[in-house]
Amino acid sequence: MRNLIILIYFFSFVFGYGQKSKLSAEHYQKVRKAFRQKMPDNSLAVLFSAPIRNRANDVNYIYHQDPNFFYLSGWHQPHSVLMIYKNPQTDDGGLYYEKIYVPERDVYMEMWNGKRYDLEQVKQLGFDRVAERGDFKSEIQSLDRFDKVLMFEFKNDIRAQKTYVFKDNVRYKVDDPNDLFDLKAAFREAINFPNDFNRLAYSAYQKIMEADEQTLDSVMEVVKSIVERDSLLIDDEIIKDFLKEPAQGFYKEAKRKTVSALRKSNFDIETLALIMANLREIKAKNEVDLLKKAVAISVVGQIEVMKAMHPEMGEREIQGIHEFVYRKYGAADEGYPSIVGAGENGCILHYIENDKEEIHNQLVLMDLGAEFYGYTADVTRTIPANGVFSPEQKALYQIVYDSQEAAINAALVGNSFRTIYKLSYDVVAEGLQQLGIISEPSEAKKYYPHGLSHHIGLDVHDPGNYGELEADMVITVEPGIYIPENSPCDPKWWNIGIRIEDDVLITKDGPVNLSAGAPRDFEGIEAMMQQESALKDFILPDIKTLIH
Ligand code: GLY
Ligand code: MN
Ligand code: MN
């Protein structure tokens, strides 16, 4: 009985909403128009909202909308579907190019989880058509009229959800018939998505379709490399045929079979990602404004920690100061789990335990970013807990700094991601060689094992083509050196991990470092660490005195 009561009274975290958008209906209409222009002829794109993810028992993780879905819709609620049509559709209301399906009003559920919207209110957000999610299943029966249905591959992390219905004033807990699980199941059926779908075989088939006398050799190479990733594919009839002696023209037969196999279904799981990368890598002015705000908030976090840091502080407290500053400025979340690693922990690239209490005079690597209305910063500073870099720390720090300078200065329209990476790598390799830590440039990869740059936006690792830099991209520039214990060099270098990461707006007039407000050079950091902290009078009681 007691359990039952607990279940009834604490049924409070099952639904949930993400953050609302700050951008206008007109912004999203423009984005969807640009999206449509890139769609293939007679295609339909179907995007689903993010699933609600369970944390434990009846508590879910805070809801975060899927960034592609949010980018095109600005819609923050779960169990929703967005359809965008290349060609106009018609109904009683005339022509339309898009339709969004959203959760229906439900007074009881809204009491627990907050307000849902009337369809009329959703329409104000700029959509051509708005419908309740329950209509989705019946309206997707005839998708074979499209040449292509653009979609992302299904993931397996969606659970069925419960809801309540009332009969004669009695409340019953039932399976929600139109949760994301059901909406996706109906869609799978409508597009004949095979139960045994194999992503790699699909990629191989797409490639085989490109084969002709000229491209045959290169296509063969790609298909062979795909087969190497899943040896079972060698038994796939089409792939087996294709890889037979090419001189005998077997590939034409394989192509014919591929066409007929693919014709049975019209879904396409590659084009949507390409379109999204093309759109999202270039930021609109209002997106840049939100990114600037996210970065500025993260910069204040770094500065406040520089001022407040002392050798008795633990990693968790440092993390807390950053995140407190984010909330103070209205950022609802971090864009990714905060990384605060002292000493050896700084050598773990995505260290998120943040539970070391004894830091003393170690270097502390702090990689954190505020997420402001969906847009996330990604800023790293590495500072000495005692306020002064040791000679070894300083020597390595200067190399990372010079490497970053070289890359930022070269972050010009027309230069490639590859070019700026190479510049930064060469500085690190030369510096490590001069210190006697490595003996030839290729060994630097061991201590600088990651890439230099990625786009930021609604994702911390935003999609893009990663070719040449263009105006209105916002990218990170983040070289690092990490020398874990037992590395083959003088032990005085061990357990030093350094990354300096800034967020850079690419413009036709050159790079603009949006996070330059947080000191980057060691003199600037040491000077900032001398300044008085805003938290100096924030003294809490010793917790031991409160535990009896
Ligand atoms: N914070 C993750 C990264 O720097 O890419
Ligand atoms: Mn980072
Ligand atoms: Mn980064």
Side-chain angles (χ1 to χ4, degrees):
M1 187 61 193
R2 211 172 142 245
N3 279 346
L4 189 67
I5 290 169
I6 288 174
L7 264 180
I8 289 170
Y9 284 100
F10 292 91
F11 176 65
S12 53
F13 296 102
V14 172
F15 216 80
Y17 306 132
Q19 259 198 95
K20 289 191 191 120
S21 174
K22 259 258 191 265
L23 303 180
S24 64
E26 292 71 35
H27 166 83
Y28 290 104
Q29 285 170 330
K30 233 158 86 185
V31 168
R32 287 194 293 273
K33 190 164 174 204
F35 177 87
R36 274 204 317 276
Q37 278 163 0
K38 292 185 186 296
M39 291 173 77
D41 278 344
N42 193 29
S43 63
L44 156 71
V46 181
L47 290 102
F48 291 89
S49 57
I52 292 172
R53 296 194 163 86
N54 184 256
R55 184 171 182 267
N57 191 16
D58 60 347
V59 177
N60 294 321
Y61 285 105
I62 292 172
Y63 188 70
H64 190 283
Q65 188 54 281
D66 174 78
N68 283 313
F69 186 91
F70 196 66
Y71 179 84
L72 291 171
S73 67
W75 177 244
H76 62 294
Q77 298 198 357
H79 303 302
S80 303
V81 190
L82 176 66
M83 313 254 274
I84 302 181
Y85 304 89
K86 172 74 177 184
N87 307 104
Q89 308 295 301
T90 40
D91 63 9
D92 297 347
L95 296 183
Y96 64 97
Y97 286 94
E98 61 202 19
K99 187 160 188 172
I100 191 164
Y101 297 85
V102 300
E104 64 290 344
R105 296 293 306 272
D106 181 327
V107 173
Y108 182 76
M109 295 302 280
E110 289 177 42
M111 174 182 77
W112 287 100
N113 298 305
K115 209 168 135 34
R116 298 184 190 177
Y117 285 39
D118 288 325
L119 294 187
E120 220 16 71
Q121 287 174 301
V122 183
K123 193 130 195 298
Q124 304 290 313
L125 302 176
F127 301 105
D128 286 353
R129 293 288 182 279
V130 177
E132 287 185 357
R133 58 184 175 150
D135 294 343
F136 177 74
K137 289 178 183 166
S138 55
E139 293 186 10
I140 52 160
Q141 296 308 321
S142 52
L143 296 185
D144 43 7
R145 68 182 193 277
F146 298 102
D147 289 343
K148 277 178 185 293
V149 176
L150 313 184
M151 56 179 277
F152 288 109
E153 198 182 344
F154 292 110
K155 301 274 190 287
N156 294 324
D157 57 353
I158 306 172
R159 292 170 151 224
Q161 315 269 319
K162 301 282 181 198
T163 189
Y164 286 104
V165 293
F166 287 85
K167 265 195 197 126
D168 303 328
N169 273 340
V170 180
R171 182 158 46 87
Y172 297 93
K173 190 173 180 178
V174 297
D175 266 332
D176 183 338
N178 292 311
D179 64 13
L180 193 68
F181 189 85
D182 297 289
L183 300 179
K184 284 205 171 179
F187 180 58
R188 274 178 99 102
E189 206 178 309
I191 56 167
N192 291 322
F193 196 81
N195 281 336
D196 58 353
F197 180 73
N198 181 320
R199 179 75 171 86
L200 284 174
Y202 178 87
S203 297
Y205 292 172
Q206 300 290 331
K207 211 62 211 170
I208 288 171
M209 301 277 283
E210 290 172 18
D212 59 24
E213 302 292 338
Q214 276 75 47
T215 57
L216 186 57
D217 285 347
S218 68
V219 171
M220 283 267 229
E221 283 314 305
V222 176
V223 173
K224 277 184 195 157
S225 74
I226 292 174
V227 171
E228 272 166 25
R229 289 157 63 194
D230 180 353
S231 59
L232 291 180
L233 289 185
I234 200 65
D235 295 326
D236 180 279
E237 286 302 324
I238 291 175
I239 294 174
K240 197 158 66 181
D241 269 9
F242 181 72
L243 292 178
K244 272 188 203 161
E245 196 47 58
Q248 296 178 25
F250 277 113
Y251 83 90
K252 287 187 185 147
E253 174 63 6
K255 232 174 114 164
R256 198 186 54 70
K257 283 193 197 158
T258 312
V259 172
S260 103
L262 290 178
R263 190 170 289 145
K264 285 198 204 107
S265 50
N266 57 354
F267 63 84
D268 172 336
I269 56 170
E270 292 186 336
T271 305
L272 185 51
L274 295 175
I275 298 176
M276 295 311 292
N278 281 327
L279 289 175
R280 289 179 58 187
E281 68 179 1
I282 306 292
K283 269 53 186 185
K285 159 104 180 47
N286 44 10
E287 291 184 284
V288 172
D289 289 344
L290 289 176
L291 276 169
K292 282 183 174 170
K293 183 99 187 244
V295 175
I297 293 169
S298 310
V299 161
V300 178
Q302 295 284 358
I303 289 174
E304 287 311 313
V305 168
M306 286 180 194
K307 293 195 250 173
M309 176 87 81
H310 55 75
E312 285 76 44
M313 228 176 228
E315 292 172 347
R316 184 84 68 219
E317 185 178 352
I318 295 167
Q319 173 186 354
I321 297 172
H322 285 276
E323 295 178 3
F324 169 67
V325 169
Y326 297 175
R327 299 301 190 280
K328 174 90 180 147
Y329 288 107
D333 209 342
E334 294 80 54
Y336 54 94
S338 299
I339 298 170
V340 178
E344 73 282 6
N345 294 336
C347 299
I348 302 169
L349 301 178
H350 286 167
Y351 172 78
I352 54 170
E353 283 162 70
N354 304 349
D355 61 356
K356 181 153 77 165
E357 290 174 4
E358 307 279 325
I359 291 182
H360 306 302
N361 59 354
Q362 293 178 330
L363 273 188
V364 187
L365 186 156
M366 309 178 294
D367 180 346
L368 310 91
E371 183 178 301
F372 189 72
Y373 288 91
Y375 287 83
T376 184
D378 184 7
V379 179
T380 307
R381 291 293 182 266
T382 307
I383 69 175
N386 63 2
V388 185
F389 287 85
S390 74
E392 288 78 23
Q393 292 167 350
K394 198 180 283 185
L396 289 173
Y397 192 91
Q398 191 60 40
I399 298 171
V400 180
Y401 179 86
D402 292 342
S403 162
Q404 199 204 26
E405 276 287 292
I408 293 178
N409 290 334
L412 305 170
V413 170
N415 277 347
S416 68
F417 278 85
R418 172 91 214 133
T419 302
I420 58 172
Y421 166 75
K422 180 83 173 62
L423 283 169
S424 86
Y425 183 90
D426 288 348
V427 174
V428 169
E430 193 182 327
L432 291 178
Q433 237 173 322
Q434 276 173 7
L435 293 179
I437 294 173
I438 60 172
S439 46
E440 58 167 291
S442 66
E443 291 171 31
K445 192 80 202 136
K446 181 174 166 52
Y447 300 117
Y448 175 12
H450 56 70
L452 173 75
S453 291
H454 55 82
H455 296 277
I456 56 170
L458 290 172
D459 278 295
V460 63
H461 295 164
D462 230 32
N465 297 304
Y466 290 92
E468 284 185 2
L469 296 174
E470 292 176 49
D472 302 325
M473 289 179 169
V474 184
I475 65 167
T476 65
V477 180
E478 49 173 314
I481 294 176
Y482 317 88
I483 309 188
E485 200 165 333
N486 297 322
S487 295
C489 60
D490 190 323
K492 71 179 180 180
W493 306 113
W494 289 358
N495 294 328
I496 297 180
I498 298 165
R499 176 160 65 254
I500 313 176
E501 175 170 29
D502 283 81
D503 299 338
V504 176
L505 170 66
I506 310 298
T507 78
K508 62 179 179 13
D509 303 322
V512 180
N513 184 350
L514 304 179
S515 42
R520 286 192 299 133
D521 56 1
F522 69 80
E523 296 94 337
I525 290 171
E526 289 183 350
M528 185 61 80
M529 292 185 78
Q530 298 289 323
Q531 302 226 350
E532 192 167 89
S533 164
L535 296 171
K536 77 175 184 349
D537 297 324
F538 187 70
I539 298 164
L540 299 178
D542 180 348
I543 202 73
K544 284 195 225 80
T545 65
L546 299 174
I547 301 171
H548 305 291

